[in-house]
Amino acid sequence: MGRHSRKGPEAKAPEAGPAPAEPGAGREGTRPAPGNGRRRRPGEAPQAPDGPAPFQGAPQVRGGHPEQREPGGGWGTGPAGRPGPPSRTEPGRTAGEASAPQQPQAPRNAQGTGTKPLIPGPRREFVEAFDAPAARPPRATPAPERVAPADPHGPVSDGGEQPPDSADGAPKDSRGGRGRTFTGIAAAAVTTVLAVVVAGQVAHDSGGRSGEAQAAGVDRDGTDGTSRSDDRNTPKVAVKPLSYEQKMAKAYPLAPKLKGSGKFTAVPGAAKAPGKGRKYVYRIDVEKGLGLDSALFAQAVQKTLNDERSWAHDGAMTFERISTGDPDFVITLASPGTTGVWCEKSGLDTTVDNVSCDSAATERVMINAYRWAQGSSTFGPDKLYSYRQMLINHEVGHRLGHNHVSCRTPGTLAPVMQQQTKSLDIDNIKCKPNAWVHPQG
C-alpha cells in the first residue's frame, strides 16, 4: 500500500502551511494553493517532525492522490516551452508564498484562490464527450419516394430523435456538434444529388415518350416494362410477294349467292398475241365490288389461252388482250347473280348449279366469280390452280364454237369441254379432272 493511502493520524503540515480543511467539508473546503501540476519526487518534499508530509502546493483529492494534469491531448496546451523544475517551498513559508517562475492559473471549477493555475483546464467539448451519457442510435427517417441512398447499408440522414441529456431538454450527440453537422451536410448532399439525377431521368424519359407517342399518333399510359423496347430498332421482315402459281392455287372468300352491282370495269393494260395463227382480240371486264384481284385474272386468261396445251396448240390460233377498242368478245368476271342475268339473255340457266356460261347472244363470256374464287368439289382444294385453267378453256371453247363432250373411257382424262364443274362421272363413266385441250402438249 502506498504511503499516500496509509491510514492513521492525519499528517500535520508545517506551522507556516495552510490551515487544514474542516471535518465534513469534503471537496468544498479551501484547497491549498496549486503548484505546477507535477508530482514531487519523494526526496524533494520537506519532512515534518512526525513523518513525511503531503505534497506541497498540490490540491488534495479523495484517496490522498493529487490531481494530475499533463500538457497536450484532451487537457489543452500548456504554457509555451517545457515547464521548469518544480519550486521547493522554504521552511517557514506557506505554499502560496513560495516563489514560482510562472504565474499559476486557476484550475477549471476551482474554488481556491483567485490566482491562475500553471496549466489550463481541458477543452469543453472533450469533457462533454466523456461526461455525457451514450446517446440512443438515431432513428432513420423515411427516404424520399423513388430516391434510394447511395449506400443501402448506411443511414441516409442523421435526423433521428435523441433523449434530452441537459437541463433545458436539448439533445446531445456523443460525436459533438461538429460531427453531427458534417453528417447532416453529407446526407443532404447525397440526397440532393440523387434527387437531381432522378428528376433528370424522369424528364428525359417523359420527353422521349411524348415525342414517340406523337410520332406514332397514339397515346401511351407510361407503364412498361418491362422492356425499354422503344429505343430498339424493330427489324423489318421483308414479306416476299406470292408468285403467280401461288396466287392461282389460293382460294379467296366469296359468297355463293352474291349478286353484285352489275357494273363492269375494263382491266387496264394490254397483252400482245404471242403466236402467228388466227388472232382473237378480247377485253376483260370485272364487276365492281367483287374484291378479287383483277390483274391476276387478266394474267391467267392470257397465259392459259396462249399455252401450247390450249387452243393455241401447233400455232392454230393466238390471243391478244386489249382494254379499249372493238374486241371479238369480252371475258367477264362477275358475281353469281350477275352471271345468271347475262346467261339468261342467251337462254341459259346457271343458277341451278351456280356455274359459268358463254352468253352467245351477247359479246360476253361469263365466268362465275364464286367458282373462280372457291373452285369445285370435283377438283378439290388441292387442284384449284388446274380448275381455274379448265374454267377459262371451257368457256372460251364455247365462244370458239365447241359444244359439250363427255368422257367415254373410264379412268382417262376428261375432255376439257365436259361439264367438269358438275361431275366427272357421266353415264357411269368416271374420268379424271383435266384442264387442257391437248393435255399431252
Side-chain angles (χ1 to χ4, degrees):
M1 183 179 296
R3 60 182 175 179
H4 298 293
S5 301
R6 183 180 300 165
K7 294 183 182 180
E10 184 178 357
K12 296 181 181 181
E15 295 178 357
E22 296 179 1
R27 299 184 63 182
E28 301 300 330
T30 303
R31 295 183 179 179
N36 56 6
R38 300 181 60 185
R39 288 187 181 180
R40 295 180 184 272
R41 293 185 176 89
E44 296 177 357
Q47 299 294 329
D50 296 339
F55 289 99
Q56 298 298 324
Q60 300 300 315
V61 295
R62 291 191 298 265
H65 293 281
E67 184 176 359
Q68 299 182 22
R69 300 179 180 173
E70 297 179 2
W75 300 102
T77 304
R82 184 172 183 179
S87 61
R88 302 175 181 270
T89 56
E90 299 178 3
R93 298 181 63 181
T94 61
E97 298 174 355
S99 62
Q102 298 179 3
Q103 290 292 336
Q105 297 180 357
R108 183 176 180 270
N109 297 331
Q111 298 180 3
T113 62
T115 60
K116 298 181 179 180
L118 180 61
I119 299 175
R123 290 194 293 269
R124 181 178 181 82
E125 55 267 24
F126 287 98
V127 174
E128 291 180 350
F130 288 98
D131 291 344
R136 295 181 183 174
R139 184 181 303 168
T141 57
E145 185 177 358
R146 297 188 64 182
V147 178
D151 184 3
H153 301 289
V156 176
S157 69
D158 197 23
E161 296 181 359
Q162 295 179 347
D165 294 332
S166 60
D168 55 357
K172 291 185 178 180
D173 192 346
S174 60
R175 295 172 295 179
R178 184 178 302 175
R180 183 168 56 188
T181 302
F182 289 161
T183 303
I185 292 175
V190 172
T191 304
T192 303
V193 171
L194 291 177
V196 171
V197 172
V198 172
Q201 185 66 32
V202 170
H204 174 74
D205 293 345
S206 61
R209 288 175 182 167
S210 60
E212 292 168 356
Q214 292 176 1
V218 296
D219 295 332
R220 299 188 180 184
D221 56 3
T223 56
D224 263 285
T226 237
S227 252
R228 289 289 175 92
S229 59
D230 294 339
D231 296 337
R232 292 196 298 246
N233 294 328
T234 302
K236 295 181 180 180
V237 179
V239 179
K240 187 178 180 180
L242 297 177
S243 63
Y244 167 76
E245 290 76 10
Q246 291 173 330
K247 291 178 181 179
M248 288 290 288
K250 180 180 178 182
Y252 301 97
L254 198 139
K257 300 295 182 181
L258 176 64
K259 185 175 182 180
S261 62
K263 298 179 180 181
F264 305 104
T265 300
V267 177
K272 293 292 185 179
K276 295 181 179 180
R278 167 77 186 273
K279 184 170 72 174
Y280 289 90
V281 179
Y282 69 96
R283 188 182 79 232
I284 293 181
D285 287 354
V286 176
E287 187 177 10
K288 294 180 179 180
L290 288 180
L292 298 176
D293 190 349
S294 58
L296 175 65
F297 179 71
Q299 185 180 9
V301 170
Q302 181 71 5
K303 281 179 171 291
T304 301
L305 292 178
N306 288 288
D307 192 285
E308 180 64 21
R309 295 168 292 178
S310 185
W311 301 108
H313 179 69
D314 285 340
M317 59 188 71
T318 186
F319 299 87
E320 180 174 309
R321 181 174 72 86
I322 61 174
S323 57
T324 59
D326 188 15
D328 295 324
F329 53 88
V330 178
I331 301 177
T332 306
L333 181 65
S335 63
T338 302
T339 298
V341 172
W342 282 88
C343 291
E344 188 178 4
K345 292 179 180 182
S346 298
L348 301 173
D349 185 5
T350 58
T351 60
V352 176
D353 297 309
N354 209 3
V355 293
S356 304
C357 78
D358 169 40
S359 182
T362 68
E363 61 178 359
R364 296 187 180 278
V365 176
M366 302 301 299
I367 303 297
N368 192 321
Y370 170 73
R371 292 299 180 184
W372 173 262
Q374 295 290 316
S376 69
S377 59
T378 54
F379 279 69
D382 57 333
K383 293 182 179 181
L384 186 55
Y385 184 3
S386 179
Y387 174 79
R388 287 168 176 167
Q389 292 171 323
M390 183 277 299
L391 191 60
I392 294 170
N393 283 327
H394 181 91
E395 299 304 335
V396 172
H398 282 305
R399 176 62 58 162
L400 295 176
H402 299 279
N403 295 322
H404 287 150
V405 179
S406 297
C407 178
R408 305 311 307 166
T409 305
T412 61
L413 294 176
V416 71
M417 296 308 298
Q418 182 174 325
Q419 292 179 302
Q420 297 181 64
T421 299
K422 293 182 178 180
S423 176
L424 288 173
D425 188 354
I426 299 176
D427 298 333
N428 294 325
I429 299 175
K430 187 174 182 180
C431 296
K432 297 178 181 180
N434 172 45
W436 302 105
V437 180
H438 305 279
Q440 303 302 327

PDB file of all heavy atoms in Angstrom, residues 40 78 86 151 174 217 298 307 369 388 404:
ATOM      1  N   ARG A  40       6.004  15.724  -6.874  1.00  0.00           N
ATOM      2  CA  ARG A  40       7.375  15.871  -6.378  1.00  0.00           C
ATOM      3  C   ARG A  40       7.967  14.478  -6.166  1.00  0.00           C
ATOM      4  O   ARG A  40       7.282  13.537  -5.825  1.00  0.00           O
ATOM      5  CB  ARG A  40       7.397  16.643  -5.056  1.00  0.00           C
ATOM      6  CG  ARG A  40       6.940  18.102  -5.181  1.00  0.00           C
ATOM      7  CD  ARG A  40       6.995  18.764  -3.824  1.00  0.00           C
ATOM      8  NE  ARG A  40       6.490  20.095  -3.899  1.00  0.00           N
ATOM      9  CZ  ARG A  40       7.250  21.152  -4.200  1.00  0.00           C
ATOM     10  NH1 ARG A  40       8.534  20.968  -4.423  1.00  0.00           N
ATOM     11  NH2 ARG A  40       6.753  22.373  -4.230  1.00  0.00           N
ATOM     12  N   GLY A  78      -0.336  23.544 -22.738  1.00  0.00           N
ATOM     13  CA  GLY A  78       0.239  24.254 -21.593  1.00  0.00           C
ATOM     14  C   GLY A  78       0.987  25.481 -22.023  1.00  0.00           C
ATOM     15  O   GLY A  78       0.926  25.918 -23.184  1.00  0.00           O
ATOM     16  N   PRO A  86       9.971  21.894 -10.581  1.00  0.00           N
ATOM     17  CA  PRO A  86       9.059  22.412  -9.560  1.00  0.00           C
ATOM     18  C   PRO A  86       9.859  23.174  -8.497  1.00  0.00           C
ATOM     19  O   PRO A  86      10.978  22.853  -8.140  1.00  0.00           O
ATOM     20  CB  PRO A  86       8.405  21.158  -9.005  1.00  0.00           C
ATOM     21  CG  PRO A  86       9.361  20.064  -9.306  1.00  0.00           C
ATOM     22  CD  PRO A  86      10.039  20.434 -10.585  1.00  0.00           C
ATOM     23  N   ASP A 151     -25.552   4.332 -50.325  1.00  0.00           N
ATOM     24  CA  ASP A 151     -25.106   3.088 -49.687  1.00  0.00           C
ATOM     25  C   ASP A 151     -26.312   2.437 -49.048  1.00  0.00           C
ATOM     26  O   ASP A 151     -26.874   2.969 -48.094  1.00  0.00           O
ATOM     27  CB  ASP A 151     -24.058   3.409 -48.619  1.00  0.00           C
ATOM     28  CG  ASP A 151     -23.491   2.133 -48.003  1.00  0.00           C
ATOM     29  OD1 ASP A 151     -23.876   1.040 -48.465  1.00  0.00           O
ATOM     30  OD2 ASP A 151     -22.689   2.238 -47.079  1.00  0.00           O
ATOM     31  N   SER A 174     -23.202  12.272 -29.010  1.00  0.00           N
ATOM     32  CA  SER A 174     -21.919  11.873 -28.451  1.00  0.00           C
ATOM     33  C   SER A 174     -20.766  12.251 -29.366  1.00  0.00           C
ATOM     34  O   SER A 174     -19.635  12.335 -28.948  1.00  0.00           O
ATOM     35  CB  SER A 174     -21.906  10.358 -28.212  1.00  0.00           C
ATOM     36  OG  SER A 174     -22.108   9.682 -29.428  1.00  0.00           O
ATOM     37  N   GLY A 217     -48.783   8.666 -83.324  1.00  0.00           N
ATOM     38  CA  GLY A 217     -50.186   9.034 -83.357  1.00  0.00           C
ATOM     39  C   GLY A 217     -51.023   8.332 -82.329  1.00  0.00           C
ATOM     40  O   GLY A 217     -52.239   8.209 -82.502  1.00  0.00           O
ATOM     41  N   ALA A 298     -56.673 -11.285-115.273  1.00  0.00           N
ATOM     42  CA  ALA A 298     -56.276 -10.955-116.642  1.00  0.00           C
ATOM     43  C   ALA A 298     -55.010 -11.708-117.030  1.00  0.00           C
ATOM     44  O   ALA A 298     -54.888 -12.190-118.181  1.00  0.00           O
ATOM     45  CB  ALA A 298     -56.064  -9.442-116.754  1.00  0.00           C
ATOM     46  N   ASP A 307     -51.264 -20.949-124.096  1.00  0.00           N
ATOM     47  CA  ASP A 307     -50.437 -22.099-123.728  1.00  0.00           C
ATOM     48  C   ASP A 307     -50.494 -23.131-124.863  1.00  0.00           C
ATOM     49  O   ASP A 307     -51.512 -23.291-125.554  1.00  0.00           O
ATOM     50  CB  ASP A 307     -50.967 -22.710-122.425  1.00  0.00           C
ATOM     51  CG  ASP A 307     -50.001 -23.717-121.832  1.00  0.00           C
ATOM     52  OD1 ASP A 307     -49.895 -24.840-122.363  1.00  0.00           O
ATOM     53  OD2 ASP A 307     -49.339 -23.378-120.810  1.00  0.00           O
ATOM     54  N   ALA A 369     -67.770 -15.682-110.595  1.00  0.00           N
ATOM     55  CA  ALA A 369     -66.728 -15.302-109.637  1.00  0.00           C
ATOM     56  C   ALA A 369     -66.666 -16.246-108.447  1.00  0.00           C
ATOM     57  O   ALA A 369     -65.586 -16.436-107.854  1.00  0.00           O
ATOM     58  CB  ALA A 369     -66.965 -13.867-109.161  1.00  0.00           C
ATOM     59  N   ARG A 388     -59.054 -23.527-112.396  1.00  0.00           N
ATOM     60  CA  ARG A 388     -59.198 -22.197-112.990  1.00  0.00           C
ATOM     61  C   ARG A 388     -58.749 -22.200-114.450  1.00  0.00           C
ATOM     62  O   ARG A 388     -59.338 -21.502-115.305  1.00  0.00           O
ATOM     63  CB  ARG A 388     -58.398 -21.178-112.180  1.00  0.00           C
ATOM     64  CG  ARG A 388     -59.038 -20.859-110.841  1.00  0.00           C
ATOM     65  CD  ARG A 388     -58.119 -20.082-109.914  1.00  0.00           C
ATOM     66  NE  ARG A 388     -58.808 -19.711-108.685  1.00  0.00           N
ATOM     67  CZ  ARG A 388     -58.219 -19.252-107.595  1.00  0.00           C
ATOM     68  NH1 ARG A 388     -56.885 -19.110-107.586  1.00  0.00           N
ATOM     69  NH2 ARG A 388     -58.931 -18.947-106.547  1.00  0.00           N
ATOM     70  N   HIS A 404     -70.491 -29.316-125.624  1.00  0.00           N
ATOM     71  CA  HIS A 404     -70.117 -30.218-124.539  1.00  0.00           C
ATOM     72  C   HIS A 404     -69.783 -31.602-125.099  1.00  0.00           C
ATOM     73  O   HIS A 404     -70.445 -32.127-125.998  1.00  0.00           O
ATOM     74  CB  HIS A 404     -71.263 -30.336-123.537  1.00  0.00           C
ATOM     75  CG  HIS A 404     -71.417 -29.091-122.702  1.00  0.00           C
ATOM     76  ND1 HIS A 404     -72.647 -28.696-122.215  1.00  0.00           N
ATOM     77  CD2 HIS A 404     -70.524 -28.159-122.249  1.00  0.00           C
ATOM     78  CE1 HIS A 404     -72.500 -27.576-121.495  1.00  0.00           C
ATOM     79  NE2 HIS A 404     -71.196 -27.239-121.530  1.00  0.00           N
TER      80      HIS A 404
END
